[in-house]
Amino acid sequence: DMKVTQMPRYLIKRMGENVLLECGQDMSHETMYWYRQDPGLGLQLIYISYDVDSNSEGDIPKGYRVSRKKREHFSLILDSAKTNQTSVYFCASRDRADTEVFFGKGTRLTVV
Amino acid sequence: GEQVEQLPSILRVQERSSASINCTYENSASNYFPWYKQEPGENPKLIIDIRSNMERKQIQGLIVLLDKKAKRFSLHITDTQPADSAMYFCAAITGGADRLTFGKGTQLIIQP
């Protein structure tokens, strides 16, 4: 059963704290994505990773960084979280040879 | 970054009538166009997609049309049911870059 797993599902952090969101996939997909979703704005691409240590900025990378040291894991890091980073974060993955993009169940992050 | 425009943002239709959502894209190199349905609190799920070598695709009551010349694609839901009420997102993938860009979404409301 193909799966993208996100941890944690819910997170509350104080402003200025560091945040680590983890994502794993069991399909050996080369490409992985991090999006954030806010009401009325749809899904906005933060970072895209083409494989291990091959990452590229998306449309809204400011305030975020990523790490991909293994093909099956892709982490999103917020150094010194801000209240405007309160959002739902989705990780996704895709096989280059195929087309469908698979989404994780999301992490709801609240920064207070 | 590349834009995908999606209209309308809210769509109310009577049960058993048809619903249509339209999207336009900028990059003529885009070659894959998925549609996602998202229920409240859930992740986006692929419902139908179309590749650039096709003009029309149908899966049961879902029809996707692609007009490459106009850089426009659309989703048509026939014989709508209450279970079709959800948020719908169109997206486009640009070949090579693997970037998946989403429209801002359409809230579809099926009225009895």
Side-chain angles (χ1 to χ4, degrees):
Chain A
D1 190 23
M2 296 179 285
K3 198 181 287 186
V4 177
T5 304
Q6 290 186 237
M7 295 293 288
R9 294 293 315 279
Y10 301 91
L11 190 59
I12 300 175
K13 286 287 194 178
R14 294 188 184 280
M15 197 167 55
E17 289 185 328
N18 298 332
V19 180
L20 173 65
L21 304 184
E22 309 242 44
C23 176
Q25 47 101 357
D26 60 2
M27 299 165 277
S28 292
H29 286 172
E30 298 97 336
T31 305
M32 296 187 74
Y33 309 85
W34 275 107
Y35 289 90
R36 65 176 282 176
Q37 184 175 27
D38 302 287
L41 296 179
L43 292 116
Q44 297 175 275
L45 180 63
I46 305 171
Y47 267 93
I48 180 172
S49 175
Y50 297 104
D51 211 327
V52 172
D53 285 330
S54 179
N55 307 316
S56 182
E57 293 182 346
D59 297 319
I60 53 162
K62 190 177 178 184
Y64 304 94
R65 60 183 174 94
V66 292
S67 175
R68 192 160 180 210
K69 297 301 181 185
K70 293 183 180 180
R71 177 173 279 189
E72 58 270 21
H73 290 129
F74 189 33
S75 301
L76 181 69
I77 302 122
L78 288 66
D79 295 315
S80 186
K82 300 172 181 52
T83 55
N84 62 7
Q85 292 178 307
T86 292
S87 187
V88 179
Y89 291 86
F90 285 101
C91 174
S93 73
R94 177 183 190 233
D95 186 324
R96 286 285 188 86
D98 202 337
T99 49
E100 184 173 354
V101 176
F102 295 85
F103 280 84
K105 291 193 178 297
T107 295
R108 183 173 293 275
L109 172 67
T110 303
V111 182
V112 296
Chain B
E2 177 176 347
Q3 302 283 332
V4 175
E5 301 293 334
Q6 181 173 350
L7 290 172
S9 55
I10 301 175
L11 178 59
R12 292 185 174 85
V13 300
Q14 292 295 121
E15 187 177 347
R16 288 185 293 277
S17 65
S18 295
S20 296
I21 304 170
N22 298 293
C23 291
T24 57
Y25 60 98
E26 292 180 341
N27 194 332
S28 56
S30 297
N31 61 0
Y32 175 63
F33 307 89
W35 286 88
Y36 288 86
K37 178 182 180 181
Q38 187 179 29
E39 313 266 11
E42 295 290 322
N43 55 349
K45 293 181 174 61
L46 180 71
I47 55 172
I48 191 169
D49 55 16
I50 190 166
R51 300 184 196 216
S52 58
N53 60 354
M54 302 172 70
E55 293 180 350
R56 183 183 192 277
K57 183 174 180 178
Q58 180 166 2
I59 297 177
Q60 297 182 326
L62 301 176
I63 301 168
V64 175
L65 303 176
L66 173 62
D67 181 345
K68 286 180 289 184
K69 202 170 182 180
K71 296 183 191 172
R72 183 169 57 218
F73 59 113
S74 56
L75 172 68
H76 306 271
I77 306 173
T78 61
D79 189 26
T80 53
Q81 302 297 316
D84 294 322
S85 292
M87 183 70 79
Y88 290 81
F89 292 97
C90 64
I93 282 190
T94 305
D98 250 7
R99 288 175 74 104
L100 176 64
T101 302
F102 283 84
K104 287 186 168 41
T106 296
Q107 182 72 52
L108 176 61
I109 301 165
I110 308 301
Q111 297 175 323

